[in-house]
Amino acid sequence: FWEGLIPEKRKGPVIDLVNKMDGVIAGFIRGRLTISAIFMVFFTVCYWIIGAPVPLVIGPLVGLLCIVPYAATGGMLLVILLMWLDTGKEGFMATWWWAVGAPIIVHIINQVLDDYVLTPAIQGKSTNMDTPTILFASLAGGILAGFYGRLVAIPVAACIKILLNELVLPRVRAWAEGRAPDPLPLGKP
């Protein structure tokens, strides 16, 4: 149905652009699933080390929350509550500062790994974007649209990059080389 709405002479390039954008969005989703799988293992091991109750259940659940950026914070609060309520510990693991501090430290390590290591590396490869662009897109999306902006910032930035590379830059190059007229004739009457 949608292909029927595209004029025949532009059908090929439009479908090519849509396929490229679809590939970038699919790569973004695969990348988030990969990051989530890595954090499932990470949280399970870390929660086992710090003495959280049932780390084999809580670790994968909190790691699954990492599909959505910053959603693991809710899991951190759950772990703090469970560690605080767990009365079977002895020594420093039974203190309130350990029950609060250890999950917070694990969460800080998670955020640093997610924001500065895994997301730029994995999402950069799957969306064909470099690390500074991904970091800027994530920050700008969060600032402009909050949680939802942070969620869709990387695929939107990748789609904008495709549009710029396929539609805008060839026209600018043609103008710079003198093969096309000025696209913004500001000085002409």
Side-chain angles (χ1 to χ4, degrees):
F1 170 77
W2 293 107
E3 285 184 27
L5 298 176
I6 303 170
E8 280 299 320
K9 66 180 183 175
R10 300 209 187 264
K11 190 174 279 192
V14 169
I15 291 175
D16 183 46
L17 275 175
V18 170
N19 285 336
K20 286 180 182 179
M21 288 182 195
D22 180 52
V24 164
I25 292 170
F28 171 77
I29 292 170
R30 279 191 308 274
R32 283 312 306 171
L33 290 173
T34 303
I35 290 170
S36 177
I38 291 168
F39 280 127
M40 285 177 169
V41 174
F42 170 79
F43 280 119
T44 302
V45 170
C46 287
Y47 290 159
W48 176 72
I49 290 171
I50 67 171
V54 290
L56 293 175
V57 174
I58 297 173
L61 288 176
V62 175
L64 187 63
L65 288 175
C66 289
I67 290 176
V68 178
Y70 296 112
T73 305
M76 175 195 64
L77 297 174
L78 173 68
V79 172
I80 289 172
L81 180 66
L82 290 175
M83 286 182 68
W84 183 57
L85 293 174
D86 187 16
T87 57
K89 302 285 184 206
E90 293 182 10
F92 71 92
M93 287 188 167
T95 59
W96 68 269
W97 57 268
W98 181 259
V100 173
I104 289 174
I105 290 171
V106 169
H107 182 69
I108 289 170
I109 294 169
N110 159 56
Q111 282 307 129
V112 168
L113 284 174
D114 191 8
D115 291 343
Y116 298 107
V117 178
L118 293 177
T119 296
I122 293 172
Q123 299 295 150
K125 189 179 289 186
S126 66
T127 59
N128 197 21
M129 291 174 31
D130 56 355
T131 301
T133 306
I134 287 176
L135 291 174
F136 175 76
S138 296
L139 289 173
I143 290 169
L144 293 174
F147 173 76
Y148 298 110
R150 173 91 165 89
L151 187 63
V152 299
I154 295 172
V156 167
C159 290
I160 290 172
K161 180 181 176 186
I162 290 171
L163 288 173
L164 287 174
N165 285 337
E166 298 292 324
L167 299 177
V168 176
L169 288 180
R171 292 180 184 177
V172 171
R173 283 190 194 109
W175 169 74
E177 293 170 356
R179 295 182 287 119
D182 188 0
L184 299 172
L186 298 176
K188 297 179 184 176

